[in-house]
Amino acid sequence: MTSTKHSSGSRGLESFTNGMAALATSETLLYVLKRLLQALLTLFLASALCFAIIQLAPGDYLDTLRQNPKISPETIKQLSINFGLDKPPLEQYGRWLRRIVTQGDFGTSFVYQRSVASLLWERIPATLLLAISSLLLTWAIAIPLGIIGAVQQNDLTDRILRVISYIGQGFPSFITALVLLFFAQVTSPLFPVGGMTSINYADLTPLGKVLDIGWHMILPTIALSVTSFAGLQRITRGQLLDVLRQDYIRTARAKGLPENRVIYVHALRNAVNPLITLLGFEFAGLLGGAFIAEFFFNWPGLGRLILQAVTNQDLYLVMASLMMGAVMLIVGNLLADLLLKVSDPRIKLEDMN
């Protein structure tokens, strides 16, 4: 029995080792490593461009302080030295980049006098929670309605869905947010007007806290989802209609396959690739897309923080937020490529470069 266990353990270890070896030499891993190396160059060029654009803006953070008669010129000069604003722009960029590479330090916020990384990490969870919930809601509703519209093309249901999608795309996000705010005030206290939690949040049970946050998420999530839902519904309908006109779909129907199998197995699988590519771009826009909803619903996310940073010319906070957007774009595109490979094994990753 001991020999059997030892043999089984050896086979398990050997299988694990062979799996890791196969992964290390796989096409996917090599492709990911290659993309990550390319991403480093992309981030460097993006950071240099962003820094140059920020420097083109007139003035700096200290200009606001100079207008305050209570702040002496000596204090302004000392702050300039402390912030490194007394150095030439190229040297400022070099020092900022060197601190990131050697220490992982993205600088200190001029306004908050705190590390930029700590400020961002405080706000990122709230923004991601809102943005990801909006993304899930959008896809959970838009894909089925797009399929219904394609299957029932030009019927009454399809026409109603098209009207809804046109109206949804015609409403900017801020108009949708204002309408929902008005709705919240009219139906108060059915929906909270703003904020992420209630006043008595600290006294609630763990389940109560989750439900309280979810209650506050309803309206801002809808505000974020309306425009995206309308566009995705139309794209899904259009892609599926193109596939349903293909010869192999007619052949499948002629063979007597059930209509559900034709649509959901053969047609939808071939129509999903453009949607996966779109998902990559939507992932990249998660943080930026939530800004309007955060502003109108007083959601404690990144939107208001970065808006204040731009207004106050808080250099390093603006740079870090721009770099975060670039990272999201790179990660979103990489995820889209990998999902395309999973959905369609015929796709070769090296052909996507």
Side-chain angles (χ1 to χ4, degrees), residues 213-262:
I213 293 176
W215 181 46
H216 284 76
M217 285 175 57
I218 293 175
L219 294 184
T221 300
I222 293 175
L224 276 178
S225 304
V226 169
T227 304
S228 300
F229 144 77
L232 183 60
Q233 176 191 329
R234 294 187 61 193
I235 293 173
T236 303
R237 177 183 179 274
Q239 290 296 328
L240 192 56
L241 282 176
D242 288 340
V243 174
L244 288 174
R245 297 189 185 103
Q246 301 298 318
D247 291 337
Y248 68 89
I249 296 297
R250 297 191 186 98
T251 302
R253 283 171 170 164
K255 289 181 178 180
L257 292 179
E259 186 66 12
N260 286 341
R261 182 175 177 82
V262 172

Side-chain angles (χ1 to χ4, degrees), residues 121-132:
W121 279 116
E122 282 182 1
R123 304 292 186 98
I124 284 176
T127 296
L128 284 180
L129 178 64
L130 186 61
I132 292 176

Side-chain angles (χ1 to χ4, degrees), residues 31-180:
Y31 175 77
V32 170
L33 291 175
K34 184 178 179 180
R35 287 292 296 271
L36 290 178
L37 291 175
Q38 293 174 347
L40 293 177
L41 177 60
T42 302
L43 289 175
F44 168 72
L45 296 176
S47 66
L49 179 61
C50 292
F51 198 90
I53 292 175
I54 292 173
Q55 292 297 325
L56 291 176
D60 56 28
Y61 167 71
L62 296 177
D63 284 348
T64 304
L65 300 182
R66 291 188 181 97
Q67 298 174 8
N68 189 342
K70 296 181 180 180
I71 302 179
S72 65
E74 291 76 15
T75 302
I76 297 293
K77 183 177 180 180
Q78 186 59 47
L79 288 174
S80 178
I81 296 173
N82 295 342
F83 296 150
L85 297 177
D86 59 323
K87 301 291 192 299
L90 190 59
E91 186 175 347
Q92 293 180 38
Y93 174 72
R95 293 175 61 187
W96 176 77
L97 191 62
R98 184 167 58 252
R99 285 201 304 268
I100 292 176
V101 174
T102 59
Q103 306 173 24
D105 179 14
F106 287 84
T108 302
S109 168
F110 299 162
V111 176
Y112 296 94
Q113 291 295 295
R114 290 176 52 194
S115 69
V116 167
S118 66
L119 284 170
L120 294 180
W121 279 116
E122 282 182 1
R123 304 292 186 98
I124 284 176
T127 296
L128 284 180
L129 178 64
L130 186 61
I132 292 176
S133 64
S134 170
L135 185 65
L136 293 176
L137 178 65
T138 298
W139 282 70
I141 297 177
I143 299 298
L145 292 184
I147 295 172
I148 292 173
V151 173
Q152 302 184 22
Q153 183 185 11
N154 295 328
D155 288 351
L156 178 61
T157 302
D158 180 38
R159 292 175 182 176
I160 294 174
L161 291 176
R162 276 188 289 171
V163 170
I164 293 174
S165 68
Y166 289 141
I167 294 175
Q169 283 194 301
F171 271 85
S173 297
F174 70 92
I175 295 295
T176 306
L178 286 174
V179 171
L180 289 174

Side-chain angles (χ1 to χ4, degrees), residues 10-20:
S10 299
R11 285 197 299 270
L13 180 60
E14 182 180 357
S15 176
F16 175 78
T17 304
N18 292 337
M20 293 300 293

